[in-house]
């Protein structure tokens, strides 16, 4: 008895029997599931077929020993695995090999983009490595017309039974330009098959090793794809080297495959283009590796790593294949050749645009390298961080960061692993911009010569500036997600028609977001932004959800308004107010109904007064609150209007809370009243004030929306090249200023960012100095503040600026603009007067 038990336990301890046992359990679960879900008689036949397919699949995958004919060759092993299931291959893999359609959509979008921008000089050639039954090639038809788009398509696969299925498929479809080649991926050479190569060369190419430097094929593939085949090729180094040489210098490679990886392996790499969900848990790593080994599928992370090392990353994402409640990790990679010949030259060009320095042509650069004296002087030149990083990568023979392989280098490389970027937890705070773009336009009068640096926020105002066609716009934000949002807007203008742009950003919902992202917007996004939106876009824009404007930190404010509306029964009044056709009608609804509730004292003290809420919902830090409190105290002390206006006292030099807890609540309440009352009293929500309309109803209307959402704006911004003057920086303002060439900018829009500095800290002075250095003479700074007379204006005055308050909420009740959220608006102009 004891020996029987011991024997049993020994059997169970053997990993193979464990996996077999697990397989049987899985099969039983699947059977039960299928039986239970198909109770209708008419479905029994379908069930039987499915069962037969999955039964054969399960048998060949997990139970049938596949040893080949003992010659040890890979082809025999493959045949023993695939010959009995070639006919049911497609039916059984549809659920398991997920992401193939997405990969094809992504490379298809890249090719279409190249065609539309005249980057394809001839019809492209596509090679599908390990293409199996040719499913991918038929699937591609939903993206492109395979027969007319491609000059030729090669399916290369080592399994003759799968090749046979593929041949039958293309015979049935009648596609003459598709060629099925039953050959090892490591020896396949395009020049052996493409016409135009004479016989002597053909002989030569067969014996040519892929490892040699000049081994690149004379004929290159414009598209190379590998779906779930890389993990099946035992010697992957030579296979990847071989496809590297197969790719034409301008070609694209797309890979989708299973993987497992621990974060310590990729943590220090700056070229992988984003790592959301890349790390796999220990259980998952061990289990999936062992499981797939049974099928000779190798999930070892070195395969993916080597792909990323050999190619430049354009897009990269990590997904999970959901199957019967399990989650198998897989990745999609889209890359290009990692040419190094021209890299430095390209880097210089990108860097010049980032730092606004004049671009030194390659010849000058050459002269500089030859002449050590000139070189020394150029080393004091300011370089962007992106440039410095790229140079280090080149020096250590690594690929450049993904940002350098984008078709339009709008987004500038940043180190996403830094804590200062990660503190935002992949969430933007503002889903919409909370500064009046019309006032900005009136105050700034942007012309074609202006070089603007502005905070990104939600990007709405950046797009408004772009409508004026300035020479260049630098959008800066420390929070990567804010920049992802701007990138999405830019990509939408570059690739979608007005209806879709309106649905995305006017309504905030779209029923086909994922399709638009993969097929249209992906060529225009950085890898990080693409990855972000692939993960979060579908829930964000889901038509049955609440839409874009109920995401991000600002959703708390919208939620509160909507919640109060329902709770206190003024939801209808809020809607009526947003539909009122005249100011009088609007004022009446406001005063009689809405105001009473929204501005109740109760709310002011208990909700708005709490620091946590303020920070989360409105983004108000304690330094800003101190200003509000002091201005309030001063108003109480000196009620006469002229006294306040003339007062030179600075706001915000004290500590928050210094005025006492009750006063502090009152101050905030008063600030809120002074924001809302004049705005509602003076601007019409139904037609003119989309800012408050959005807050009350959570959406824009066709009549009332930001400038960049008009059909006219779409025509302007959708023109090719219309947004090429935009550069998106992810860093602190101070860092970006520090890397700019002196006197490069004409306008800096700082919003209320300086309110966040502490009056005792050195930041304000340093920032004013940096702005002075970067601005041209006569250049202007536009900023807003919660204080009437912010303390840091002195810093500007001491650093060569003339400051002017162009709007203020004095006397109380004044409406400064449609948002009316800030107590004062300032323009600081750089003048030479200090020097003279
Ligand atoms: C899991 S299948 C994927 C097939 C197809 N790409 C798909 O997505 O359905 C892996 C394929 O790689 C092929 N393969 C494995 N090693 C190969 C090699 N050395 N050269 C060419 N093909 C190979 C196998 O024959 C098999 O068809
Ligand atoms: C953006 O892409 C277009 C088309 O490839 C190109 O003409 C343009 O120069 C690119 N702009 C930048 C800034 O790279
Ligand atoms: C609203 O505007 C009207 C007319 O401009 C003015 O008479 C009234 O005092 C204002 N009310 C408030 C609360 O500001
Ligand atoms: C402001 O910048 C200019 C150069 O653009 C410089 O000459 C001047 O000294 C700076 N002013 C101060 C106060 O630093």
């Amino acid at each position: 008895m004891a020996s029987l038990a011991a024997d049993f336990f020994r059997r169970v301890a053997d990993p193979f029997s464990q996996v077999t046992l697990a397989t049987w359990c899985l099969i039983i679960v699947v059977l039960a599931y299928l039986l239970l879900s198909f109770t209708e008689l008419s479905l029994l036949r379908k069930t039987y077929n499915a069962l037969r397919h999955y039964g054969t699949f399960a048998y060949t995958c997990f139970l049938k020993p596949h040893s080949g004919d003992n010659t040890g060759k890979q082809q025999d092993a493959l045949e023993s695995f695939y010959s009995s299931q070639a006919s049911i291959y497609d039916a059984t893999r549809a659920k398991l090999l997920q992401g193939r359609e997405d990969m094809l959509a992504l490379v298809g979008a890249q090719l279409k983009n190249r065609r539309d921008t005249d980057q394809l000089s001839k019809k492209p050639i596509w090679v599908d490595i390990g293409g199996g039954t040719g499913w991918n090639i038929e699937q591609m038809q939903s993206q492109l017309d395979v027969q007319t788009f491609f000059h030729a398509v090669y399916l290369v696969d080592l399994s003759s039974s799968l090749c046979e299925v593929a041949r039958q498929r293309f015979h049935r479809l009648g596609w003459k330009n598709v060629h099925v080649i039953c050959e090892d991926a490591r020896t396949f050479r395009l020049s052996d098959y493409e016409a135009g190569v004479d016989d002597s060369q053909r002989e030569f190419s067969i014996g040519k090793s892929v490892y040699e430097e000049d081994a690149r094929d004379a004929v290159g593939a414009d598209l190379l794809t590998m779906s779930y085949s890389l993990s099946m090729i035992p010697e992957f180094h030579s296979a990847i080297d071989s496809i590297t040489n197969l790719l034409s210098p301008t070609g694209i490679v797309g890979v989708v495959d299973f993987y497992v990886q621990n974060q310590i392996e990729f943590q220090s790499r700056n070229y992988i283009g984003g790592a959301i969900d890349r790390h796999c848990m220990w259980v998952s790593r061990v289990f999936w590796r062992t499981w797939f080994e049974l099928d000779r599928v190798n999930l070892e992370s070195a395969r993916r790593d080597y792909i990323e090392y050999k190619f430049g990353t354009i897009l990269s994402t990590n997904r999970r294949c959901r199957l019967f409640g399990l989650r198998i990790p897989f990745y999609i990679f889209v890359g290009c050749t990692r040419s190094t010949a021209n890299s430095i030259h390209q880097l210089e060009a990108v860097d010049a645009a980032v730092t606004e320095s004049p671009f030194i042509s390659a010849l000058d650069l050459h002269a500089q390298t030859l002449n050590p004296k000139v070189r020394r002087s150029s080393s004091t030149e300011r370089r962007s961080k992106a440039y410095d990083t790229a140079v280090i990568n080149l020096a250590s023979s690594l690929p450049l960061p993904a940002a350098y392989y984008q078709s339009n280098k709008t987004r500038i490389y940043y180190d996403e692993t830094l804590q200062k970027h990660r503190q935002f937890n992949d969430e933007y705070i503002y889903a919409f911009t909370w500064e009046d773009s019309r006032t900005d336009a009136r105050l700034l009068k942007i012309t074609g010569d202006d070089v603007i640096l502005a905070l990104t926020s939600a990007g709405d105002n950046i797009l408004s500036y772009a409508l004026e066609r300035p020479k260049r716009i630098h959008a800066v934000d420390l929070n990567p997600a804010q920049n992802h949002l701007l990138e999405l807007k830019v990509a939408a203008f570059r690739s979608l028609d007005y209806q879709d742009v309106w649905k995305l950003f006017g309504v905030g919902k779209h029923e086909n977001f994922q399709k638009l992202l993969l097929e249209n917007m992906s060529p225009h996004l950085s890898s990080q932004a693409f990855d972000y939106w692939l993960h979060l876009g579908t829930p964000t824009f889901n038509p049955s959800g609440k839409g874009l404007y109920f995401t991000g930190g600002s959703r708390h404010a919208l939620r509160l308004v909507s919640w109060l509306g329902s709770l206190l029964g003024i939801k209808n009044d809020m809607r009526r107010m947003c539909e009122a056709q005249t100011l009088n009608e609007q004022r009446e609804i406001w005063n009689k109904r809405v105001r009473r509730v929204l501005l109740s004292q109760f709310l002011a003290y208990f909700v708005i007064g709490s620091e946590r809420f303020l920070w989360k919902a409105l983004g108000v830090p304690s330094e800003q609150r101190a200003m509000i409190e002091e201005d309030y105290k001063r108003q109480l002390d000196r009620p006469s209007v002229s006294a306040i206006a003339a007062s030179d006292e600075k706001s915000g030099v004290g500590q928050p809370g210094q005025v006492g807890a009750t006063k502090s609540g009152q101050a905030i309440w008063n600030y809120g009243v002074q924001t809302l009352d004049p705005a509602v009293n003076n601007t019409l929500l139904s037609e003119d004030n989309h800012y408050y309309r959005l807050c009350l109803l959570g959406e824009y209307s066709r009549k009332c929306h930001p400038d960049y959402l008009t059909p006219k704006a779409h025509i302007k911004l959708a023109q090719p090249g219309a947004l090429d003057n935009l550069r998106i920086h992810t860093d602190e303002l101070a860092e970006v200023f520090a890397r700019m060439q002196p006197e490069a900018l004409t306008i800096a829009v700082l919003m209320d960012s300086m309110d966040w500095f502490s009056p005792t800290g050195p930041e304000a002075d340093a920032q004013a100095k940096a702005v002075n250095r970067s601005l041209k003479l006569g250049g202007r700074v536009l900023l807003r503040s919660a204080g009437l007379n912010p303390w840091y204006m002195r810093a500007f005055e001491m650093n060569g600026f003339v400051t002017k308050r162009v709007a203020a909420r004095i006397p109380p009740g004044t409406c400064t603009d449609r948002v009316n959220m800030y107590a004062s608006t300032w323009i600081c102009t750089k003048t030479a007067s200090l020097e003279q």
Side-chain angles (χ1 to χ4, degrees), residues 742-743 768-769 771-777 796-801 830-831 834-835:
E743 317 215 345
K769 275 209 169 60
V771 179
N772 174 51
R773 200 185 52 78
S774 323
L775 277 185
K776 279 200 171 65
L777 197 63
F796 281 103
E797 283 153 15
M798 308 228 313
N799 282 294
F801 287 90
K830 174 168 169 172
T831 54
L834 213 82
E835 270 70 51

Side-chain angles (χ1 to χ4, degrees), residues 295-314:
D295 280 350
R296 298 182 183 230
V297 173
N298 200 319
L299 302 203
E300 226 250 283
S301 52
R303 285 162 197 260
R304 182 181 186 185
D305 292 346
Y306 195 51
I307 284 274
E308 287 173 334
Y309 170 74
K310 291 289 275 191
F311 297 98
T313 301
I314 296 177

Side-chain angles (χ1 to χ4, degrees), residues 421-476:
H421 300 311
R422 285 180 27 213
Q423 63 174 325
F424 301 100
N425 287 326
D426 275 335
E427 188 182 53
Y428 38 85
I429 297 175
Y430 307 99
F432 47 89
T433 301
W434 199 237
E435 308 236 340
D436 192 345
S437 57
R438 191 190 292 159
T439 322
D440 286 12
R442 180 172 54 77
L443 291 172
L444 293 173
K445 296 197 182 59
I446 295 167
T447 69
D449 296 326
D450 278 321
V451 180
I452 306 174
L453 184 146
L455 284 166
T456 305
S457 183
D460 302 356
N461 286 8
I462 303 287
L463 293 170
S464 298
Y465 303 151
L467 286 172
E468 315 284 337
R469 294 274 161 86
K471 196 164 143 212
R472 185 111 61 202
I473 307 175
H474 296 274
V476 184

Side-chain angles (χ1 to χ4, degrees), residues 244-409:
T244 314
N245 293 330
L246 215 50
L247 192 65
S248 97
T250 54
I252 294 170
V253 48
V255 183
V256 54
D257 217 322
F258 295 123
Y259 81 103
V260 288
Q261 192 162 41
N262 186 346
Q263 60 189 2
I264 53 171
E265 290 178 49
F266 59 80
Q267 246 164 8
S268 58
R269 293 180 205 155
N270 62 11
Y271 53 87
I272 58 173
I276 304 179
D277 278 352
R278 181 155 175 158
H279 173 73
C280 309
M281 292 204 314
W282 179 81
V283 189
S284 155
R285 293 202 303 273
V286 173
F287 178 75
W288 291 119
R289 254 181 90 156
T290 336
W291 175 278
F292 278 102
E293 263 167 21
L294 291 177
D295 280 350
R296 298 182 183 230
V297 173
N298 200 319
L299 302 203
E300 226 250 283
S301 52
R303 285 162 197 260
R304 182 181 186 185
D305 292 346
Y306 195 51
I307 284 274
E308 287 173 334
Y309 170 74
K310 291 289 275 191
F311 297 98
T313 301
I314 296 177
L315 299 171
S316 160
T317 183
N318 309 288
R319 315 285 297 162
R320 300 289 182 265
C321 163
R322 285 159 205 270
L323 201 65
F324 310 124
L326 298 168
R327 292 157 51 88
I328 317 175
F330 72 94
Y331 66 92
I332 301 177
F333 171 88
V334 175
C336 58
T337 47
R338 205 192 115 175
S339 69
T340 43
N342 224 358
S343 311
I344 285 282
H345 183 247
Q346 274 180 22
L347 286 187
E348 300 276 347
V350 175
D351 187 58
V354 170
T355 59
E356 288 297 337
S357 45
F359 175 49
I360 314 161
S361 77
L363 266 180
D364 293 346
L365 191 80
H366 188 58
Q368 273 187 22
T369 12
L370 291 183
N371 185 345
K373 254 193 204 150
V374 184
R375 200 175 167 192
R376 203 171 304 132
S377 78
S378 81
S379 67
T380 58
E381 224 175 291
R382 278 159 211 278
R383 293 290 191 193
S384 61
K385 285 183 188 173
Y387 179 87
D388 292 345
T389 314
V391 167
I392 294 173
N393 277 25
L394 283 182
S396 35
S397 314
L398 292 172
L400 293 175
Y404 282 98
Y405 299 105
Q406 308 302 311
S407 64
N408 271 95
K409 298 165 183 55

Side-chain angles (χ1 to χ4, degrees), residues 646-651 750 754 764-772 775 779 781 783 788-806 824-836:
S647 149
D648 200 29
E649 281 175 89
K650 302 290 178 231
S651 326
L750 305 184
M754 293 194 65
D765 190 55
Q767 180 125 316
K769 275 209 169 60
V771 179
N772 174 51
L775 277 185
V781 180
L783 51 84
L788 286 169
N789 230 334
W791 55 272
Y792 49 77
M793 294 324 287
R794 271 193 65 85
F796 281 103
E797 283 153 15
M798 308 228 313
N799 282 294
F801 287 90
V802 168
T803 62
K804 183 161 187 274
R805 186 163 68 188
V806 287
S824 60
T825 306
W826 296 76
I827 294 253
C828 313
T829 311
K830 174 168 169 172
T831 54
S833 57
L834 213 82
E835 270 70 51
Q836 286 159 3

